[in-house]
């Protein structure tokens, strides 16, 4: 078993990125602000989090970038239902579980924030196209927290173009409190961004993606954070230009490493490669070749996710937007405690065997809306400092 590396402190030069924001007082003097946003990794003790909302959820558009990740029969069904509200039965089941999840977080002493309610059926447009919305169930996709900065991401789904507007009340509050607030360049999302004749590659064929390199796009959920090191998967919502934009934006104080995925329809890293604690990473054996992980992880414990327990509920199997490996979509409360899906008992046992303290919770019926515990949240403040875990 590999030895967990000892976290290294930042140098004075790199530590300048973590200095508090400053505010002008009445006499013009500059006063430091203690930012309400502070999250450098996936495991420091959790203090404040944003949890998504189901209100107004609308079935996403049938744009090729949306339907390329689902079977052809499901894409046809989605095309017929796009723009309509989700069926009440699906919403009610998911809402009950979501309420219990929020109550669990609050019982653990975590401050929970929620986005504004939005009518996602309202049509909006740019000079090039128009669309209805989707939902704000997954704040993990549209915003990336790096230290005291929140970055609004340039997402590739047209129906998610204005999704962060539902979080603006919270974002403005964080900014006034001293947080940094950045929006990546808003993409045009014209036809030039998408491969016109894209088809999902068969097993054994070279990997290909629906996105071109016309402009930078990325979802925050394609990234995992370990202090000064970030890990990313290129996918059908994140292109190389998007990765390069973030690399240049963060500058030399951070390093971004690519995790190669064998998934034929890649989208989001948190069912492929999940950081659990310093020196411990959970990987999907179907998608990740553990012999070809980045060298910076050579001293880490690589934990192999157990085969997920099958989902027997027919309606859930038909409506889920997620693959079977959603069992890996866990949320760390700290380096030991982890919230995981109650249904996936093999995962719960494995986490316990690896030295964690799993907290079972139900969120199985959130899958039709885009994910589970990690997807449904954005950890805004964790009690910790910017450190290196790979040196």
């Amino acid at each position: 078993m590999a030895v967990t590396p000892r976290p290294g402190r930042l140098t004075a030069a790199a530590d300048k990125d973590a200095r508090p924001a400053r505010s002008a007082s009445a006499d013009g003097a500059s006063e430091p602000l203690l930012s309400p946003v502070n999250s450098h990794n996936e495991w420091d003790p959790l203090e404040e989090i944003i949890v998504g909302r189901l209100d107004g959820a609308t079935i996403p558009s049938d744009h090729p970038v949306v339907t390329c990740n689902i079977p052809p029969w499901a894409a046809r069904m989605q095309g017929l239902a796009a723009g309509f509200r989700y069926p009440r039965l699906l919403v009610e089941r998911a809402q009950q579980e979501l309420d219990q999840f929020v109550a669990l977080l609050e019982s653990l002493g975590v401050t929970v924030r929620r986005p504004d309610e939005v009518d996602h059926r309202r049509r909006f447009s740019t000079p090039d196209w128009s669309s209805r919305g989707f939902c704000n169930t997954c704040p993990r996709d549209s915003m990336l927290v790096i230290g005291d900065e929140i970055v609004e991401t340039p997402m590739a789904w047209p129906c998610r173009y204005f999704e962060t507007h539902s979080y603006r009340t919270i974002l403005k509050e964080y900014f006034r409190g001293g947080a940094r607030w950045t929006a990546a360049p808003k993409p045009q999302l014209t036809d030039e961004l998408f491969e016109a004749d894209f088809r999902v590659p068969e097993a054994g064929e070279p990997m290909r993606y629906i996105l071109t390199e016309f402009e930078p796009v990325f979802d925050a959920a394609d990234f995992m954070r370990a202090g000064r090191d970030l890990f990313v998967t290129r996918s059908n919502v994140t292109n190389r230009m998007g990765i390069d934009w973030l690399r240049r934006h963060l500058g030399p104080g951070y390093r971004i490493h690519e995790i190669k995925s064998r998934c034929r329809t890649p989208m989001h890293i948190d069912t492929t490669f999940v950081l659990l604690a310093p020196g411990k990473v959970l990987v999907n054996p179907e998608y990740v070749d553990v012999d070809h992980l980045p060298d910076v992880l050579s001293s880490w414990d690589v934990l192999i996710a157990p085969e997920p327990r099958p989902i027997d509920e027919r309606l859930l199997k038909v409506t889920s937007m997620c693959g079977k490996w959603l069992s890996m979509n866990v949320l760390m409360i700290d380096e030991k405690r982890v919230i995981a899906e109650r249904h996936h008992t093999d995962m719960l046992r494995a986490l316990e065997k690896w030295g964690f303290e799993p907290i079972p919770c139900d969120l199985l019926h959130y899958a039709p809306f885009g994910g589970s515990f990690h997807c449904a949240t954005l950890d805004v403040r964790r009690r910790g400092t910017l450190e290196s875990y790979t040196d």
Side-chain angles (χ1 to χ4, degrees):
M1 180 173 291
V3 177
T4 301
R6 179 177 298 174
R9 301 293 299 188
L10 284 179
T11 64
D15 195 48
K16 66 181 176 63
D17 296 326
R19 291 175 184 171
R22 307 187 76 85
S23 175
S25 63
D27 61 3
S30 182
E31 298 177 346
L33 290 175
L34 184 62
S35 173
V37 174
N38 181 73
S39 182
H40 300 283
N41 55 50
E42 309 290 333
W43 57 74
D44 277 341
L46 182 61
E47 295 183 339
E48 184 163 333
I49 199 165
I50 299 175
V51 176
R53 186 182 289 277
L54 284 157
D55 306 77
T58 299
I59 296 171
S61 66
D62 60 348
H63 190 283
V65 75
V66 178
T67 56
C68 70
N69 281 13
I70 59 179
W73 62 267
R76 288 192 292 272
M77 288 178 57
Q78 182 171 333
L80 295 173
F84 288 93
R85 295 262 191 249
Y86 272 85
R88 181 179 298 178
L89 177 62
L90 292 179
V91 175
E92 288 177 347
R93 289 181 177 181
Q95 186 64 59
Q96 182 179 15
E97 295 178 349
L98 185 63
D99 291 343
Q100 293 171 354
F101 174 45
V102 169
L104 172 60
L105 288 168
E106 292 176 337
S107 74
L108 295 170
V110 179
T111 298
V112 176
R113 307 296 304 274
R114 310 297 296 280
D116 297 333
E117 293 186 24
V118 175
D119 179 7
H120 294 282
R121 283 207 71 212
R122 291 181 62 185
R123 184 169 288 278
F124 54 80
S125 64
T126 75
D128 299 299
W129 49 266
S130 68
S131 177
R132 298 188 192 275
F134 174 32
C135 57
N136 49 14
T137 54
C138 296
R140 184 73 59 177
D141 303 350
S142 60
M143 294 173 289
L144 180 64
V145 176
I146 305 290
D148 67 347
E149 180 180 20
I150 296 182
V151 178
E152 294 186 49
T153 62
M155 293 194 289
W157 284 21
C159 60
R160 308 189 75 175
Y161 201 71
F162 293 109
E163 192 169 305
T164 53
H165 282 207
S166 61
Y167 301 93
R168 287 296 172 90
T169 300
I170 302 174
L171 291 172
K172 285 182 280 191
E173 178 188 324
Y174 288 154
F175 178 75
R176 293 187 183 106
R180 291 184 294 155
W181 177 14
T182 302
K186 209 70 175 168
Q188 295 172 272
L189 302 188
T190 54
D191 290 345
E192 290 87 347
L193 179 62
F194 310 103
E195 295 287 358
D197 300 318
F198 174 79
R199 66 175 179 82
V200 175
E202 300 288 344
E205 289 185 335
M207 190 59 196
R208 53 181 172 265
Y209 307 88
I210 194 170
L211 299 176
T212 69
E213 299 300 327
F214 174 68
E215 60 188 344
V217 288
F218 64 91
D219 278 14
D222 270 324
F223 292 83
M224 279 277 167
R225 304 159 304 143
R228 293 181 63 191
D229 291 277
L230 280 74
F231 300 87
V232 63
T233 51
R234 185 182 173 195
S235 75
N236 284 327
V237 292
T238 295
N239 63 7
R240 291 203 183 281
M241 281 191 75
I243 298 169
D244 287 343
W245 182 91
L246 186 63
R247 181 177 282 119
R248 295 180 200 176
H249 174 73
L250 294 178
Y254 291 86
R255 299 172 294 200
I256 297 181
H257 314 274
E258 185 173 348
I259 302 297
K260 302 287 187 182
S261 175
R262 295 184 293 209
C263 177
R264 299 288 91 183
T265 54
M267 180 177 170
H268 299 167
I269 196 172
D270 47 13
T271 55
T272 297
F273 174 95
V274 179
L275 301 175
L276 299 177
K280 293 186 177 182
V281 59
L282 177 66
V283 300
N284 180 329
E286 185 178 333
Y287 296 164
V288 175
D289 182 350
V290 296
D291 293 327
H292 291 86
L293 289 172
D295 291 341
V296 295
L297 297 172
S298 60
S299 63
W300 280 47
D301 291 342
V302 179
L303 311 174
I304 307 300
E307 183 73 16
R309 183 181 173 189
I311 305 298
D312 297 325
E313 188 176 327
R314 180 171 177 78
L315 180 61
L316 195 55
K317 287 195 291 187
V318 171
T319 59
S320 174
M321 294 182 67
C322 311
K324 68 176 185 178
W325 292 98
L326 202 59
S327 57
M328 295 177 59
N329 202 257
V330 300
L331 177 68
M332 301 305 298
I333 300 300
D334 51 38
E335 290 187 18
K336 288 292 184 182
R337 294 178 296 170
V338 51
I339 298 178
E341 173 58 52
R342 191 188 312 274
H343 171 85
H344 292 293
T345 53
D346 289 342
M347 177 61 75
L348 293 171
R349 282 193 290 265
L351 288 166
E352 196 169 39
K353 174 185 175 183
W354 294 326
F356 296 99
E357 299 172 11
I359 304 172
C361 187
D362 296 306
L363 205 61
L364 207 60
H365 292 88
Y366 210 70
F369 305 92
S372 191
F373 303 108
H374 196 258
C375 298
T377 57
L378 181 69
D379 39 320
V380 173
R381 189 170 66 254
R382 290 181 179 271
R383 192 169 61 253
T385 57
L386 179 59
E387 301 186 9
S388 175
Y389 301 92
T390 61
D391 291 341

